[in-house]
Amino acid sequence: MNKFRGDVSLFAPGIGYLEARLSQTCLGVIPYLYNHGIDDEDSVSLERRGIRPPFDRPDCLCVCVVGLPYLSNFTDFTALENVPGVVVYYTRRPEEARAADLLILPGSKNTILDLLWLRKNGWEARIESHVAAGKPLLGICGGFQMLGREIRDPYHTESNIEFVCGLNLMDFTTVLEREKVTRQATARFAQPHFVDGPDQSDPSFTGYEIHLGETLLGDETQPLFQLQRLGDDISHYDGAISADGRVLGTYLHGLFDSRDGLETLLGNWRKICGKQESISAVIDPLVERERRYDALAEHYRNNLKMDVIWRALDGQR
């Protein structure tokens, strides 16, 4: 029995009834665990996370994630949500993004349809105003593809729309291919001087790629990362960065899961936005994730008849 709420002793007669009817031993009752910190199963949970940030705090970096209809890989932002002095909120209303310090276009299950949705709902003007104000903008995967001049889908891999103009914030073109790239990867800044974070001259990022598109940069456009795919001998460029370093795009998911890289990005964005430096150290997201899974496992161990489970695993009754 999972997520039980209330006094477990009141359920004891029910346990006895079920054991008698099924001729099986109840392995335990799992009490509801609040604030476990484990990633949610799907993006439906984002509807409960429409936090509005304290815009008047000089030490708080307010991050707005655009709530695309086909938003994917929303767990990219879990680590960012856990950083002291950072508030992450999700919205589909462009007016609610007006006061955000950092704007993020996340991954998408259907980039072209989400880009058309942005235009239909007034987001293009909001994004342009955000960039014109000198505020940082980040696009991840599908969000990265939207930043360029155009997206082509010649094989109809996402829809019957073969061509759509991008947001034209950087000079590159994306073509959606038949085969999806699904690889683990590590990355470093292609030009470290573009991003000047605190105490980190060359931080590394660990994550993964899962995308259909291949993006060709214009002659004057600089890549963001030098990316090394797991198992490959040769690295390649990934993403793009604007000349002033304020607009970034990448295919790398899990961008915020590497502590050194996260500290560098946050330091750079705080500097751009005129925010005070955080006095709280950034906890290693991967270490914190393991701690939370360990706590979840301990919660189960404390409420299950582990001796019965171990005997069953050993083939005994």
Side-chain angles (χ1 to χ4, degrees):
M1 298 294 176
N2 191 25
K3 295 185 177 179
F4 185 85
R5 302 170 190 256
D7 185 351
V8 70
S9 66
L10 299 178
F11 192 55
I15 294 174
Y17 173 81
L18 290 174
E19 289 182 327
R21 294 285 292 176
L22 302 176
S23 299
Q24 296 288 339
T25 300
C26 177
L27 298 178
V29 178
I30 308 298
Y32 190 88
L33 183 62
Y34 293 90
N35 300 320
H36 51 70
I38 305 300
D39 288 336
D40 291 305
E41 182 178 357
D42 54 46
S43 58
V44 173
S45 63
L46 298 184
E47 296 177 3
R48 304 192 303 269
R49 289 148 75 181
I51 301 171
R52 294 298 168 263
F55 296 119
D56 58 343
R57 279 179 49 186
D59 62 333
C60 181
L61 187 73
C62 299
V63 180
C64 176
V65 181
V66 180
L68 303 173
Y70 294 96
L71 187 152
S72 67
N73 302 87
F74 68 98
T75 54
D76 280 344
F77 312 110
T78 301
L80 196 59
E81 292 172 3
N82 294 325
V83 176
V86 176
V87 173
V88 179
Y89 69 105
Y90 302 77
T91 185
R92 291 189 173 186
R93 300 176 180 178
E95 63 272 17
E96 293 182 352
R98 185 174 292 110
D101 299 310
L102 167 66
L103 188 61
I104 298 181
L105 294 175
S108 169
K109 297 183 180 72
N110 195 308
T111 304
I112 290 179
L113 293 186
D114 272 342
L115 179 54
L116 294 176
W117 175 87
L118 286 177
R119 288 205 167 98
K120 181 180 178 180
N121 290 276
W123 272 101
E124 188 166 22
R126 166 81 336 253
I127 294 169
E128 290 174 350
S129 296
H130 182 91
V131 173
K135 296 181 179 182
L137 171 68
L138 171 66
I140 301 176
C141 201
F144 161 49
Q145 295 171 344
M146 296 178 190
L147 300 178
R149 292 189 179 279
E150 59 188 49
I151 302 172
R152 298 183 179 273
D153 189 2
Y155 307 112
H156 298 175
T157 53
E158 286 192 349
S159 69
N160 291 324
I161 302 173
E162 294 189 3
F163 170 87
V164 65
C165 291
L167 298 174
N168 202 27
L169 296 175
M170 286 193 282
D171 182 16
F172 61 76
T173 299
T174 297
V175 178
L176 303 184
E177 303 289 350
R178 289 190 175 97
E179 298 296 325
K180 181 174 289 187
V181 175
T182 54
R183 300 291 294 275
Q184 290 180 301
T186 59
R188 294 183 183 276
F189 290 116
Q191 300 289 339
H193 66 274
F194 279 143
V195 179
D196 182 21
D199 304 323
Q200 294 294 335
S201 58
D202 190 19
S204 63
F205 299 81
T206 300
Y208 63 95
E209 297 174 90
I210 178 168
H211 59 90
L212 284 169
E214 292 295 333
T215 297
L216 178 64
L217 303 186
D219 293 339
E220 302 299 321
T221 304
Q222 295 288 340
L224 177 63
F225 287 133
Q226 186 77 32
L227 186 141
Q228 182 74 51
R229 290 171 176 165
L230 183 65
D232 284 2
D233 295 328
I234 301 175
S235 63
H236 68 277
Y237 287 131
D238 166 77
I241 182 170
S242 62
D244 61 4
R246 301 189 179 207
V247 180
L248 311 177
T250 179
Y251 277 118
L252 189 69
H253 291 286
L255 185 68
F256 302 120
D257 289 343
S258 304
R259 182 177 61 183
D260 291 348
L262 177 58
E263 287 182 333
T264 299
L265 288 172
L266 288 177
N268 182 66
W269 288 329
R270 286 183 179 279
K271 181 178 178 180
I272 290 174
C273 298
K275 296 289 183 176
Q276 298 174 359
E277 292 188 14
S278 175
I279 60 175
S280 301
V282 174
I283 300 173
D284 190 321
L286 297 180
V287 172
E288 177 63 13
R289 180 176 296 165
E290 289 300 311
R291 184 195 67 79
R292 294 183 179 195
Y293 275 107
D294 287 343
L296 180 65
E298 186 65 20
H299 181 66
Y300 271 76
R301 281 193 292 266
N302 291 336
N303 292 282
L304 290 173
K305 297 177 181 177
M306 294 304 300
D307 56 334
V308 177
I309 294 175
W310 290 125
R311 287 200 302 270
L313 290 174
D314 291 336
Q316 303 173 16
R317 290 289 183 178

